[in-house]
Amino acid sequence: MSIEQQNGTTVLRHEPDYTPPRSWRTWLIGRPLPTADAPHQTVSKVVGLAVFASDALSSTAYATQEMLAVLAVAGTMALGHAFPISIAIFTLLVIVTVSYEQTIHAYPGGGGAYIVSRDNLGELPAQTAGAALLTDYILTVAVSISSGVAQIISAWPALYPYRVAIAVGFVLFIMLINLRGVRESGAIFAFPTYLFLGMISVTVLVGLVRYLTGSLGTVADPPELLTAGTVQSIGLFLILRAFANGTTALTGVEAISNGIPAFREPKSRNAGITLIWMSALLGVLLLGITFLATRISAVPSEAETVISQLARTALGGRGLLYLVTIAGTTVILVMAANTSFADFPRLGALLAVDGFLPRQLAYRGSRLVFSRGIALLAGVASLLIIIFRASVTRLIPLYAIGVFLSFTLSQAGMAHRWWKIGHLSPGQEVKERGSTLRPESGWKLKMGINGFGALSTAVVAVVFAVTKFAEGAWVVLILMPLLILAFSAIHRHYRHLARRLSLDAFGAPPPVLRHRVILPLSGVHRGTLEALRYARRLSDDVTAVHVSTDPAEAEKVRAKWEQWGEGVRLVILDSPYRLLLEPLLAYVQEIADHRQPNETITIVVPQFVPRHWWNSLLHTRTANMLRLALLFKPGIVITDVPYQVE
Amino acid sequence: MSIEQQNGTTVLRHEPDYTPPRSWRTWLIGRPLPTADAPHQTVSKVVGLAVFASDALSSTAYATQEMLAVLAVAGTMALGHAFPISIAIFTLLVIVTVSYEQTIHAYPGGGGAYIVSRDNLGELPAQTAGAALLTDYILTVAVSISSGVAQIISAWPALYPYRVAIAVGFVLFIMLINLRGVRESGAIFAFPTYLFLGMISVTVLVGLVRYLTGSLGTVADPPELLTAGTVQSIGLFLILRAFANGTTALTGVEAISNGIPAFREPKSRNAGITLIWMSALLGVLLLGITFLATRISAVPSEAETVISQLARTALGGRGLLYLVTIAGTTVILVMAANTSFADFPRLGALLAVDGFLPRQLAYRGSRLVFSRGIALLAGVASLLIIIFRASVTRLIPLYAIGVFLSFTLSQAGMAHRWWKIGHLSPGQEVKERGSTLRPESGWKLKMGINGFGALSTAVVAVVFAVTKFAEGAWVVLILMPLLILAFSAIHRHYRHLARRLSLDAFGAPPPVLRHRVILPLSGVHRGTLEALRYARRLSDDVTAVHVSTDPAEAEKVRAKWEQWGEGVRLVILDSPYRLLLEPLLAYVQEIADHRQPNETITIVVPQFVPRHWWNSLLHTRTANMLRLALLFKPGIVITDVPYQVE
């Protein structure tokens, strides 16, 4: 410890090599890290793609299958509509990508939907975006992990009965990793992302070549068909439902716009190029997988994923290449969940600092991560996985609304930002919290692009909400407003508290006129006298109170008090129903109700300090209960005077 | 409220018609009863038999079956040995009855094994008797209820899968009844006891008549045989094991000796006559049931009780008479459990008052019963039922050791008492806690009777422990010493505490030399200033302490304190690992370690009082954690100064 004096204040500082004592947590998540260790690391485009693209790219592992699951209700012939639908989704992807490209350049410090909405649309849209993103992150974990487990089950069908346990196990594992706060070292992320990209590209390429040469054939020994709904004929509503399911391929596209500061300089440029690469890969893979899946007559099933069917058909059975492809797909899905574990706590902390969520979420744990947000995410995602039995098909209806809602708000915010830029005077600069507005040419085109992006994604959000409403989207449509209400209530609480505790315009507190001390006692012994001595130091106005359930006992207390009570007055509360706490509380309340202004009431509680933990089981802990009952009464000070028997 | 003054003490008394406010408990167990309502009710011999005999009489419902279960391992031929064994048990019953008859006259105030051992044998035997009785009561509940449920299942075999749930349900039901503290009204007890006696006597009589007239036959469609062990040939050990099981018929014989004060005057005489009646009924029923069971080739089984087989064979099938017999048997078994619910809490309270069990067990709840003892018994008995799947056969090996151990200690105590009486001077009187010793003629014979009783029951206890050791008796043989050790530890704790807290030879406490006040603060606001004002009233030696996880925040605190801190010194504890509590605790410990003699340290904790319960989720409750961490440190006073924002 070193001691410094600063303007009359003493500062006690640990030596630089100080480490706190070890605990069970050290074993689980590693030794605590000092605040000074916070990382400031940047990544190249190649690594950036690996770090931020896993969420988006991994959705190709389930998007096709979920389209097929909807179409299957109209019979196997209807499955052919999947490819045209995927072209529509590709178009949507292009719109969203161009739109986000502009966001990346406008917000070099990171332009997530929450920040963009807050700066350009106001508090309610920002809160909506926050709620949408939080639900999105939770569902990303649930869906990605469930899909990852579905890949494993495709390769080892015997594990099917344990899928929920395996999925929850994965979530807890990722939680632990994140609580440790692994440095996002490029290699760790790059290897599986590129493994997945490589293997899935090989699968699609081999599949295409074999299709063109006519040697592809169809899925051998296909799994049991799973349909999402009762048999019906093909129609617009069904096509839209399939489209809605397919749009889950776009989830995660926004990740790069959150992570711009992590890129090397020139940050915006590098991030933008990476975004385009990611979208291109995503689009091509989606088209390729969907095309091949319909050619080989892949069937949507809980027992085997479409990716698995495609891989074993294209690659010639369940050989080594097949296994590596499945492994790569599983790992990238798990990594997609990991992305949410980075984003959810960060957004939670942002909302907490802005006073919309409990402040604790902004507290960095011993490993410098937002540990409470991480634990919260793991808890809620595990709950979802358990409720929905780790079924991607059942989770999907809850998923994409949040994503597209945040897309819409983000793009609408950008459109409004361009409108503001268009109305600046030449040379004028306006600083906002997340970005700086400067006059810019071509703002009308840019506003048009973002506006069109907002409109398209809004339409998709509505389509999704309508077509998926009965299947589960209603849950999200109820939860999100509730979440926003909670944000407001929390915000109101903090604002109110800050105003009331503020020292602005705070005069000196009025002097205390009178100090009453109440000393509850169950018997007269050394511990009580210790408390009496303390009470008498506080005030001359001390009243000892004994709750009597037994007249003989009360008489003993009275007699002893006469000898030892130093003349302090004793009140005996008769308790015919043998209650101990209630009469005392009523008495204190009575006194509190009739006190004068500026009268302080202190309850001095003799507190038995046990030698061994089990000792405290041998005492009615009236002192503890009394404190708990009085603690939250305003204006009553509670003092615990310990007595110990050593 | 009325106010009285007594020798300078104020006594606040409720009006006589005062009733405490209602709570959820009122609905469950009835409105609270004032202490003055404690019942003082006595019963006639006829009702007394009903009240105290249910435990003993009900054991005829399983004793025969458990003998057969042991003999069955040597083949069905061996079952014939049950009747000779029951004659041996009958003899034992006579010995125990005569022995207890003497106890009843010596202890008119109630002479349970614990009291008799305590007065005549000393502390360790008394504790042993206490431990034996407590385990006995717990097992009586588990065995009786399990046997009662077995009767129900005999009549409705479809209920077999739910037997554990039904049994636990019964235990909880009896617990509730006892928490309500039902007045032991004669009629409630008399009806089922005499119903059982009547029905089982009819069954046995009809069975005997039909046996003598040769029309009895054997059990039609007998249930699946259950044997307690692997097949072996008949031998002394097996006979002894069967005998041991049969001795469970004697459990409950001691009940009357506990309950003498409940009888009408002349109490001892009435109680004694009732004991003889009870034993006579018990003995005759045991002999009759066992004799008939072997004649009709009843088989021990988990699916149908021997009583049920006997009843339907003797009474001609599953008719109305059969059902009434089974119902009567079930009800008396449930009432036997109820007896334990009266005895266990009473003994628990007795042990608590003597300082061998936590004092809370002596506290009368809102309905004037020892609620904690009742709940404890229900909990442990339910646990046993769950562990042993409500199987009487599996519970029996744990049962009778405690009973016979307490018999032995009680009779040995009586024998020693006669010896003491024999050695009194003529006319001399010695008052003990439970009885008065007066010279008495014939003390040698009486000593011989009790001595022989003690010896016989000791032999049975040893036989039981040896023959049943491997089957489960070892559990009791380990648990009982542990229980006795716990008694001693608790006793030592209370004695030590009383000695240390005693005011005998207690001088006036030394004057306080110095009073240091420490005021932890996370920020400077109105709440903190409230606490500061209070702290400054306590002492001039106040130190404000801020744990700093963020230098900017610490600087803000320092600057504000300069303005608002009224010159009180501020210490900033730098916390590089963002810990809040640990640096503060270390600082307080440091100060406590270096304090002068008679220096008091007070921690004044500003305590936020939430407006709504959920508000407290929005604050890191450092104050609470700090108090919890410091509460059990000797010599450090903790004061909570509340601040509320309304």
Side-chain angles (χ1 to χ4, degrees), chain B residues 291-583:
Chain B
F291 177 74
L292 285 172
T294 53
R295 291 313 115 173
I296 62 168
S297 305
V299 291
S301 163
E302 289 281 359
E304 187 183 3
T305 62
V306 166
I307 290 285
S308 167
Q309 295 171 49
L310 174 57
R312 67 181 166 90
T313 307
L315 304 175
R318 294 173 183 267
L320 183 66
L321 272 182
Y322 164 81
L323 284 180
V324 175
T325 307
I326 293 298
T329 312
T330 306
V331 172
I332 203 169
L333 281 162
V334 171
M335 275 176 37
N338 190 63
T339 312
S340 285
F341 270 92
D343 289 339
F344 180 95
R346 204 185 295 144
L347 178 61
L350 206 58
L351 284 162
V353 167
D354 287 352
F356 294 113
L357 277 179
R359 294 239 166 101
Q360 293 95 308
L361 290 174
Y363 171 79
R364 283 182 188 268
S366 71
R367 298 284 293 180
L368 280 168
V369 294
F370 299 113
S371 3
R372 286 150 204 211
I374 292 172
L376 184 66
L377 174 60
V380 181
S382 298
L383 200 69
L384 278 180
I385 288 173
I386 292 167
I387 292 175
F388 290 90
R389 314 290 311 142
S391 160
V392 175
T393 304
R394 281 187 246 171
L395 281 164
I396 282 289
L398 281 71
Y399 193 8
I401 297 183
V403 181
F404 279 92
L405 196 53
S406 69
F407 282 173
T408 305
L409 288 164
S410 159
Q411 302 316 318
M414 284 301 294
H416 187 243
R417 186 172 178 277
W418 295 122
W419 188 85
K420 286 192 288 183
I421 284 177
H423 291 74
L424 290 176
S425 334
Q428 187 187 359
E429 270 198 15
V430 177
K431 263 198 129 34
E432 296 195 330
R433 282 173 67 185
S435 69
T436 310
L437 305 184
R438 284 186 202 84
E440 212 169 306
S441 63
W443 63 270
K444 278 184 186 161
L445 175 65
K446 286 166 177 165
M447 185 171 82
I449 289 173
N450 281 131
F452 185 65
L455 196 69
S456 317
T457 52
V459 169
V460 173
V462 172
V463 166
F464 201 102
V466 170
T467 61
K468 298 273 150 189
F469 186 81
E471 281 173 70
W474 61 271
V475 176
V476 177
L477 292 176
I478 290 174
L479 270 185
M480 217 124 64
L482 288 182
L483 208 51
I484 295 168
L485 279 181
F487 288 164
S488 317
I490 292 171
H491 199 51
R492 252 197 325 278
H493 168 77
Y494 282 130
R495 258 201 326 235
H496 179 81
L497 190 68
R499 213 165 39 234
R500 285 313 181 100
L501 292 180
S502 159
L503 294 172
D504 305 338
F506 179 59
V512 173
L513 289 180
R514 191 177 168 198
H515 192 181
R516 279 199 78 150
V517 177
I518 295 169
L519 173 67
L521 38 88
S522 54
V524 181
H525 51 66
R526 293 192 195 186
T528 325
L529 296 190
E530 192 92 30
L532 172 64
R533 184 174 67 147
Y534 192 90
R536 283 177 37 104
R537 279 182 60 92
L538 296 185
S539 168
D540 294 331
D541 187 353
V542 178
T543 310
V545 181
H546 173 72
V547 177
S548 156
T549 58
D550 174 4
E553 185 65 28
E555 177 50 31
K556 246 182 7 202
V557 167
R558 205 199 51 71
K560 275 194 177 177
W561 194 252
E562 210 162 58
Q563 185 186 352
W564 293 99
E566 303 182 15
V568 163
R569 75 173 155 270
L570 173 67
V571 171
I572 290 178
L573 302 176
D574 183 50
S575 177
Y577 291 91
R578 299 164 310 287
L579 300 168
L580 292 173
L581 212 53
E582 291 79 354

Side-chain angles (χ1 to χ4, degrees), chain A residues 6-14 18-20 31-35 358-360 363-368 372 489-490 493-494 496-497 499-507 509-512 515 524-527 529 533-534 537-538 549 558 560 562 564 570-580 587 598 600 602 607-611 614-620 624 627 631-646, chain B residues 6-14 18-20 31-35 358-360 363-368 372 489-490 493-494 496-497 499-507 509-512 515 524-527 529 533-534 537-538 549 555 558 560 562 564 570-580 587 598 600 602 607-611 614-620 624 627 631-646:
Chain A
Q6 290 182 348
N7 318 19
T9 303
T10 311
V11 179
L12 298 183
R13 236 182 259 291
H14 287 284
Y18 165 80
T19 50
R31 64 173 185 83
L33 299 174
T35 312
R359 294 239 167 100
Q360 294 95 307
Y363 173 78
R364 284 181 188 269
S366 71
R367 297 285 291 182
L368 279 168
R372 284 151 206 211
I490 292 170
H493 168 77
Y494 281 131
H496 179 82
L497 188 69
R499 213 163 40 232
R500 285 312 182 100
L501 292 180
S502 160
L503 294 172
D504 303 339
F506 180 60
V512 174
H515 191 182
V524 182
H525 51 67
R526 294 193 195 186
L529 296 190
R533 185 175 65 148
Y534 192 89
R537 279 183 61 93
L538 297 186
T549 58
R558 205 199 51 71
K560 275 195 178 174
E562 210 162 58
W564 294 99
L570 172 67
V571 171
I572 290 177
L573 301 176
D574 183 49
S575 176
Y577 291 90
R578 299 165 309 288
L579 299 167
L580 292 173
Y587 178 78
N598 298 320
T600 299
T602 298
Q607 172 78 43
F608 171 67
V609 179
R611 271 188 309 170
W614 59 266
N615 286 172
S616 57
L617 300 177
L618 303 178
H619 298 262
T620 43
N624 286 341
R627 196 181 45 247
L631 198 55
F632 291 135
K633 279 198 197 294
I636 295 175
V637 175
I638 301 169
T639 295
D640 296 301
V641 178
Y643 62 92
Q644 206 210 21
V645 187
E646 77 292 6
Chain B
Q6 290 181 350
N7 319 20
T9 303
T10 310
V11 179
L12 297 183
R13 237 182 258 292
H14 286 284
Y18 166 81
T19 50
R31 63 174 186 82
L33 298 175
T35 312
R359 294 239 166 101
Q360 293 95 308
Y363 171 79
R364 283 182 188 268
S366 71
R367 298 284 293 180
L368 280 168
R372 286 150 204 211
I490 292 171
H493 168 77
Y494 282 130
H496 179 81
L497 190 68
R499 213 165 39 234
R500 285 313 181 100
L501 292 180
S502 159
L503 294 172
D504 305 338
F506 179 59
V512 173
H515 192 181
V524 181
H525 51 66
R526 293 192 195 186
L529 296 190
R533 184 174 67 147
Y534 192 90
R537 279 182 60 92
L538 296 185
T549 58
E555 177 50 31
R558 205 199 51 71
K560 275 194 177 177
E562 210 162 58
W564 293 99
L570 173 67
V571 171
I572 290 178
L573 302 176
D574 183 50
S575 177
Y577 291 91
R578 299 164 310 287
L579 300 168
L580 292 173
Y587 178 77
N598 296 321
T600 298
T602 298
Q607 171 79 42
F608 170 67
V609 179
R611 272 189 307 169
W614 60 266
N615 286 171
S616 58
L617 300 177
L618 302 177
H619 297 263
T620 42
N624 287 341
R627 196 182 45 246
L631 198 54
F632 292 136
K633 279 197 196 297
I636 294 175
V637 175
I638 301 167
T639 295
D640 296 300
V641 179
Y643 62 92
Q644 205 211 20
V645 186
E646 76 290 8

Side-chain angles (χ1 to χ4, degrees), chain A residues 98-428:
Chain A
V98 173
S99 213
Y100 263 105
E101 180 71 20
Q102 298 195 152
T103 309
I104 286 175
H105 286 274
Y107 282 85
Y114 174 68
I115 291 174
V116 174
S117 316
R118 189 184 65 186
D119 282 9
N120 299 294
L121 299 176
E123 208 164 79
L124 185 64
Q127 289 180 30
T128 311
L133 284 169
L134 290 182
T135 46
D136 172 29
Y137 293 141
I138 294 167
L139 281 157
T140 298
V141 174
V143 168
S144 301
I145 294 290
S146 297
S147 179
V149 172
Q151 311 297 340
I152 295 178
I153 286 163
S154 302
W156 289 278
L159 294 176
Y160 183 76
Y162 312 107
R163 64 199 187 286
V164 174
I166 297 172
V168 171
F170 267 123
V171 172
L172 297 182
F173 176 72
I174 303 173
M175 179 188 81
L176 264 191
I177 295 282
N178 279 277
L179 285 177
R180 287 192 82 100
V182 159
R183 292 303 143 77
E184 290 165 358
S185 113
I188 288 182
F189 276 81
F191 178 72
T193 306
Y194 288 110
L195 175 73
F196 167 75
L197 273 178
M199 293 313 300
I200 204 80
S201 304
V202 166
T203 305
V204 170
L205 278 178
V206 170
L208 278 178
V209 168
R210 291 186 59 189
Y211 171 70
L212 292 174
T213 58
S215 70
L216 185 59
T218 58
V219 180
D221 191 13
E224 202 189 339
L225 178 73
L226 166 104
T227 58
T230 49
V231 178
Q232 52 189 90
S233 63
I234 193 88
L236 180 63
F237 190 71
L238 199 71
I239 295 284
L240 284 178
R241 274 180 61 206
F243 170 77
N245 270 10
T247 56
T248 55
L250 267 68
T251 56
V253 167
E254 81 289 357
I256 290 180
S257 69
N258 286 318
I260 312 162
F263 282 86
R264 297 223 175 106
E265 293 286 359
K267 289 179 189 295
S268 290
R269 199 185 118 82
N270 283 332
I273 293 171
T274 310
L275 171 67
I276 290 168
W277 266 104
M278 179 182 82
S279 293
L281 286 166
L282 171 59
V284 169
L285 282 178
L286 177 71
L287 288 177
I289 291 171
T290 310
F291 177 76
L292 286 172
T294 53
R295 292 313 114 174
I296 61 166
S297 305
V299 291
S301 162
E302 289 281 359
E304 187 183 2
T305 62
V306 166
I307 291 286
S308 166
Q309 295 171 50
L310 174 59
R312 68 184 166 89
T313 307
L315 305 174
R318 293 172 183 269
L320 184 64
L321 272 183
Y322 164 82
L323 284 179
V324 176
T325 307
I326 293 298
T329 311
T330 306
V331 172
I332 203 169
L333 282 162
V334 171
M335 275 178 34
N338 191 63
T339 313
S340 284
F341 270 93
D343 289 339
F344 179 96
R346 205 185 295 143
L347 178 61
L350 206 58
L351 283 163
V353 167
D354 286 352
F356 293 113
L357 277 179
R359 294 239 167 100
Q360 294 95 307
L361 290 175
Y363 173 78
R364 284 181 188 269
S366 71
R367 297 285 291 182
L368 279 168
V369 294
F370 300 112
S371 3
R372 284 151 206 211
I374 291 172
L376 184 66
L377 174 61
V380 181
S382 298
L383 200 69
L384 279 179
I385 288 174
I386 292 168
I387 292 175
F388 291 89
R389 315 289 312 142
S391 159
V392 176
T393 304
R394 282 187 244 172
L395 281 164
I396 282 288
L398 281 69
Y399 193 9
I401 297 184
V403 180
F404 280 91
L405 196 53
S406 68
F407 281 174
T408 306
L409 288 164
S410 157
Q411 302 316 319
M414 283 302 294
H416 186 243
R417 186 173 178 279
W418 295 122
W419 187 86
K420 287 191 286 185
I421 284 178
H423 292 73
L424 291 174
S425 336
Q428 187 187 359

